[in-house]
Amino acid sequence: MSTLGIYIHVPFCGKKCGYCDFYSVCYSKVQAELYVKAVLRNIRHYSDRSRTVDTVYFGGGTPSLLTAEQLGAVLAEISSSFRLDSNAEITLEANPNTLTPDRLAGLHKAGINRLSVGIQSMNDNELRLLGRSHNAERAARAVLDAADAGFRNISCDLMLGIPTQTADSLADSIIQLSALPIQHISAYILKIEDGTPFDCGEVRSSLPDEDTTAELYLLAVNELRKRGFSQYEVSNFAVSGFESRHNCRYWKCMDYLGIGPAAHSCYDGRRFAVPQDIESFISSPVQPTEITDENPCGFEEYAMLRLRLAEGLALADVPEYRAAIEKKLSPLMQAGYVRYENGRVSLTPEGFLVSNQVIERLIF
């Protein structure tokens, strides 16, 4: 059977960021222990020794609030319930403030081999505006300590379109980040989500306008490329060979199993989601789920996800739609949004900026 990725949603945060709409609750040591026990019994429930797990991703929330022992117990249960590949990519999202040398040593020993560090900016003023609890110096120290602890696959988050951010401040953040021993950068444009504290007139009025945000995005693409980080997805850049294997599962319609409140799955031919309710997750013998798609990964979804990737969509993989897509390419190529080379359609960085409209034009 095909390989499997496992996503564990860890819904605990020390403090909720004002722009974040991911499901999370305030960290509690007692509740965290109950949560981990629920994760373990759910892994056992889905047990299938015929499936080889080659990626594990602890997302959140702030997964690095869990202890190394708790994370090690989860990995041990995955290894027991499935076949855990000896070269599996095992990622932990982390807040820089949680990454002390002792904790990093414990995480590495527990089996975590990839860190995704939520830095967002190397400008202290921008970090304060975002409500982050670390500063640039602390962020850099966390990455250096991680490398000292033996981590050789480190990703950092970088946010674009922050209030007061300029081309110079963004370029400086990229220069500082790329000087650190990291192999991957996720660069996201700040989006104001409905119902979050940032969803207010004061914040919205302080954001860069669309043209300025587009310029910041294209600047990031160019600056990262110059420093060895190639764009392989709309918002993701990596040194060759360090692309996120787990996240690529999502964009390539590969199987993944989600465990934890708010986790999503594409597994055994269906998409399903767990409700955003930690109490229900902890108290239920098996996590409750809601079917979101009985027949996932049809043409439209497959093509849409493939076009998020820099490698694009090979039209040989969708022969019945090839002629229709080819008829639509010329104006998009002339506008500089799309490339068509060797039978493969891909978006340019300018195309990624308006990817929803471009993809809709091509495949709907």
Side-chain angles (χ1 to χ4, degrees), residues 152-166:
R152 299 293 177 263
N153 194 348
I154 303 172
S155 175
C156 293
D157 285 351
L158 175 66
M159 191 166 285
L160 314 178
I162 301 169
T164 77
Q165 189 176 57
T166 65

Side-chain angles (χ1 to χ4, degrees), residues 99-106 108-109 115 140-154 180-183:
L99 297 180
T100 63
D102 285 348
R103 179 176 283 264
L104 284 160
H108 194 262
K109 185 177 179 180
L115 291 175
R141 184 73 263 159
V143 171
L144 293 169
D145 287 343
D148 288 344
F151 286 94
R152 299 293 177 263
N153 194 348
I154 303 172
L180 295 171
I182 66 174
Q183 296 73 37

Side-chain angles (χ1 to χ4, degrees), residues 256-320:
Y256 56 92
L257 172 64
I259 293 175
H264 288 251
S265 301
C266 184
Y267 184 66
D268 280 352
R270 297 182 303 170
R271 287 194 187 276
F272 54 90
V274 184
Q276 298 186 10
D277 184 345
I278 189 171
E279 298 294 348
S280 172
F281 176 73
I282 287 173
S283 63
S284 301
V286 177
Q287 63 182 9
T289 59
E290 302 168 350
I291 301 297
T292 58
D293 192 343
E294 290 280 8
N295 297 289
C297 297
F299 161 71
E300 291 177 355
E301 182 182 13
Y302 174 82
M304 178 184 69
L305 291 171
R306 282 283 175 164
L307 287 168
R308 287 184 61 93
L309 294 168
E311 66 184 45
L313 172 69
L315 295 190
D317 292 341
V318 289
E320 64 272 41

Side-chain angles (χ1 to χ4, degrees), residues 56-194:
V56 179
Y57 196 104
F58 293 92
T62 307
S64 55
L65 288 171
L66 296 183
T67 67
E69 291 75 19
Q70 289 170 327
L71 294 163
V74 172
L75 292 175
E77 190 58 58
I78 291 173
S79 184
S80 176
S81 296
F82 299 87
R83 297 168 62 186
L84 183 60
D85 191 291
S86 59
N87 294 313
E89 175 194 87
I90 302 174
T91 302
L92 180 79
E93 290 184 349
N95 182 299
N97 285 340
T98 65
L99 297 180
T100 63
D102 285 348
R103 179 176 283 264
L104 284 160
L107 294 173
H108 194 262
K109 185 177 179 180
I112 305 297
N113 57 30
R114 182 175 185 270
L115 291 175
S116 177
V117 188
I119 291 178
Q120 315 306 350
S121 172
M122 293 296 284
N123 179 289
D124 286 345
N125 183 54
E126 292 171 5
L127 289 169
R128 281 191 293 271
L129 287 168
L130 289 172
R132 302 296 290 176
S133 56
H134 63 272
N135 58 22
E137 182 181 4
R138 181 69 188 90
R141 184 73 263 159
V143 171
L144 293 169
D145 287 343
D148 288 344
F151 286 94
R152 299 293 177 263
N153 194 348
I154 303 172
S155 175
C156 293
D157 285 351
L158 175 66
M159 191 166 285
L160 314 178
I162 301 169
T164 77
Q165 189 176 57
T166 65
D168 286 343
S169 71
L170 175 58
D172 184 62
S173 283
I174 291 171
I175 290 168
Q176 291 189 61
L177 282 179
S178 60
L180 295 171
I182 66 174
Q183 296 73 37
H184 188 282
I185 290 178
S186 295
Y188 300 103
I189 295 174
L190 174 61
K191 181 182 178 184
I192 305 300
E193 303 289 352
D194 293 344

Side-chain angles (χ1 to χ4, degrees), residues 193-213:
E193 303 289 352
D194 293 344
T196 62
F198 271 31
D199 182 18
C200 64
E202 181 181 358
V203 174
R204 287 185 180 276
S205 65
S206 68
L207 295 176
D209 61 30
E210 286 189 8
D211 288 344
T212 302
T213 301

